[in-house]
Amino acid sequence: MFRLSLRTFRERWQLFIGALLTVAMGVALVQSALLILISAASPVIPAGLTPIEHQQVSDGYTGAITLLAMVLALATFLAVFIVSSTFAFTVAQRRRDLALLRLVGGSRGQLRRLLLSEAALLAVLGCGIGVPLGLVAMRIQSNLLRGLGFVPPQFTPRWQDWILAVSFGVGIGVALIGVYAAARRAGKVAPLEALRATGAQQRVMTAPRWVFGLLFLAGAIALMVLAPLVGPDGAIPMSINVSITAAIALAALSPLVVPLVGRLFGLVLRRTTIGGLAQANLREGVRRSASTAAPLLVLVALVIGLFGTLSTIATASRIEMRRSVHADLVVDSGAAVAGRIGAMPGVAVADTQVPVGVSVVTHDDGDVETEGATALVIDPTTYRSTHPLRLAAGALTDLHGAAMVVDQGDDLSLGDTAMVRIGGRSVPVKVVGVLPETLNGGQDYLLPRDLVPASLLAGPSQTVVRLAPGADGAVVTRAIRDDGGQVRTVAAWLAANASEQDKMNSGIMTVLMGLAGLYALIAVINAVVIAAADRKAEFATARVTGLHRRQVVRMALVEAGVVTTIGLLLGLLGATGTLIGIGSAVSKFTGRGEFDVPWGPLGLVTLVAFVVVGLTSVWTTLAATRIAPVRLVGAHE
């Protein structure tokens, strides 16, 4: 069987090139992400940093680990999805070859082993390409993480010899998992049905398609309904998973949509000969159209779902931050300047906040856990005047002495006591309040000034200023600047924070969507190439009945345009579930159940999809019609 697989692979390489590239990319990305993730999990943090700087570097590594985990999950999902859809389409295109093997005595088991042998060969070749490619990917990903500020400039991932076994395991696993379903389906085809292109072989909507399609569709609806009922930490991943589950469901059920959309377009297309032929081909070539639309569907669902989710959260966070600060100016300065701001003419309230690095020791079921974090040192009285904050539990008036307010997501609850290490000394501190749930994360801990050593309070601070009624903001600003403070309006401060978050989100989306886009384009091009390779006789028949070669090319181009439209529309439908879910989830923070549609990314994806599919269709049709039609009429590929 392996020798036969090798011959098939060599003679019909066009059917496998897309899957080969997908496996190679999957191996490269998993290898690269794992090596960087392991290095980031045990970081070497430079000596001599302040506690705040140390915590910022540590938080950056945590963000890098989260991003790399997303890359791993996305790369694995896309690799398995694309390999499985490619092989399913390839098996359908090779039904005559497989039927002949059955007729000459091949059993169903031998047929399955043939396809699994092809998958194993594909995996070995893909790993051979992917392992060295992973070194290049590791360098690119490391540079991206440095550029996004997740890791310090001196960060360098470490090579691990055991990664070779993992890389080959991933490549072989992705290939075999992706091919297994297609191999089982191919083994069930009756030889005469395949040779005559009748019966179950022509039935695209098989029982597994119905089961998986409806199952994942129900899962997508359930996630969309549940997302608003959980907190933001749960709503975000649940909403993003709506896109993934909906994409799988719609890809499985797409053969139901293709004929319906084909009929709608037929109202316009059938007015011309080329359009009528294109409509007929769409109606008859349901599997071909669905296989081409599937990767576009997944791409659009992921891009619009992820971009829309982050954009919606960013917009809601801005609204939430504007409501949480009741002030006019924000001043960055040292402790001495901050101490004089409250006495300046025109200043009604000056709330000075000092960030400090702390370590909190907790006990969970007998296990001792130490968590490093950044705490905000405040004066409860002035803080309440500039932040209309309503705690989820407890009261800010109790924040004095050995007390602290914790984030709602923390393991500590109201009344608990934890050892807090501040400025080189450990102090037992009681939890007197719990912060409300927020979209932007907020602070981990609030501490009173009388708990923190004076040496830490002498560091950089931020003062939120509320002006007295009738005070001239320009005069107060000038006075503070003359004293050495850096002053911004609250609006400018909020805009700067939003810009920094948008930059981070943009970087994350560039990494994830660049990955998804590359996978999808390879899959789309591969599907168009496979489809054209099986249509030489069909194109020849059209030409001997009177069509010119350029008319055949136009016919295929019209088909490609309709199929692209179907993929884009189904992808938008999948992404809509994500946007509705995240919009409902943030409504309890903003009071508005709205979501942002990322029109820019949507327009870019639409343009690229039509250009890539159109150019590939023209190129493959020209290649398929290069041979004289009389030599191909009646031929079986």
Side-chain angles (χ1 to χ4, degrees), residues 29-31 33-34 37 67-77 515:
L29 289 168
V30 169
Q31 172 184 297
L34 272 178
L37 192 150
L67 176 58
L68 290 170
M70 295 175 68
V71 169
L72 277 171
L74 186 60
T76 303
F77 163 71
L515 168 63

Side-chain angles (χ1 to χ4, degrees), residues 617-631:
S617 175
V618 171
W619 169 60
T620 53
T621 307
L622 287 173
T625 56
R626 188 173 293 124
I627 303 173
V630 293
R631 294 175 54 189

